[in-house]
């Protein structure tokens, strides 16, 4: 039953999104939209000298599942590296699409979204925030690396 995916915990997360808004001068920014439902997430990041996120903001116009995912991202984004985001996003995608184990580490709360795997139409909106964050960090890394500098 679809009500199973809208637990009180997920709805509480959706109601309390950390780091809402936009950064004034981000190192990287990305927007992702779900073609199916129209959910949209924009993520702005700033990176420190070691390439970890030290500034983070997100503009989230999504369903409760997309908001819950964005809340988990927002809670763990500061201090995350590109590698951590790649691993978490890949594990999250595999959890939803191939019944894989949930992500570990700073984004382990994504485990509460495991029931979404039974609702493929909800996968895209649930993944949006992580996909946008990953793209924003990759863009920021290219912009701030010596090879990416103009």
């Amino acid at each position: 039953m679809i009500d199973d995916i809208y637990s009180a915990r997920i709805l509480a997360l959706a109601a309390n999104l950390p780091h809402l808004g936009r950064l004034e001068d981000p190192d990287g920014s990305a927007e992702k939209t779900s073609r199916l439902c129209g959910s949209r997430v924009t993520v702005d990041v700033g990176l420190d000298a070691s390439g970890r996120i030290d500034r983070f903001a997100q503009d989230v116009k999504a369903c409760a599942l997309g908001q819950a995912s964005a809340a988990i991202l927002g809670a763990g984004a500061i201090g995350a590296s590109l590698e951590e985001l790649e691993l978490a996003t890949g594990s999250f995608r595999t959890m939803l699409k191939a019944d894989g184990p949930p992500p570990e580490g700073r984004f382990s709360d994504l485990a509460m979204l495991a029931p979404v795997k039974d609702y493929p139409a909800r996968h895209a909106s649930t993944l949006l925030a992580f996909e946008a964050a990953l793209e924003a960090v990759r863009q920021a890394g290219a912009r701030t690396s010596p090879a990416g500098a103009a």
Side-chain angles (χ1 to χ4, degrees):
M1 174 182 260
I2 200 159
D3 292 338
D4 296 338
I5 62 175
Y6 294 104
S7 69
R9 194 168 169 203
I10 287 173
L11 294 175
L13 278 172
N16 296 295
L17 286 161
H19 303 287
L20 278 178
R22 301 292 306 269
L23 293 181
E24 199 168 302
D25 185 28
D27 294 328
S29 184
E31 180 178 291
K32 293 290 183 178
T33 303
S34 169
R35 287 186 224 150
L36 185 62
C37 68
S39 291
R40 181 183 50 79
V41 176
T42 304
V43 171
D44 297 326
V45 298
L47 302 183
D48 65 17
S50 68
R52 291 185 176 275
I53 298 171
D54 66 355
R55 296 179 301 130
F56 178 86
Q58 57 186 346
D59 182 28
V60 181
K61 307 286 190 258
C63 65
L65 296 171
Q67 290 177 22
S69 174
I72 294 166
L73 172 66
I78 302 296
S81 67
L82 173 62
E83 294 76 20
E84 285 176 298
L85 277 174
E86 287 173 335
L87 185 60
T89 304
S91 295
F92 189 23
R93 186 177 293 110
T94 301
M95 178 185 83
L96 293 177
K97 297 185 178 290
D99 202 22
E104 297 178 351
R106 72 173 65 231
F107 301 112
S108 62
D109 282 348
L110 289 170
M112 77 177 73
L113 292 167
V116 177
K117 73 181 184 305
D118 295 331
Y119 303 92
R122 305 278 195 249
H123 293 180
S125 62
T126 307
L127 287 162
L128 281 179
F130 277 83
E131 291 173 344
L134 189 55
E135 184 176 317
V137 171
R138 285 179 176 149
Q139 181 187 98
R143 180 177 169 198
T144 60
S145 72

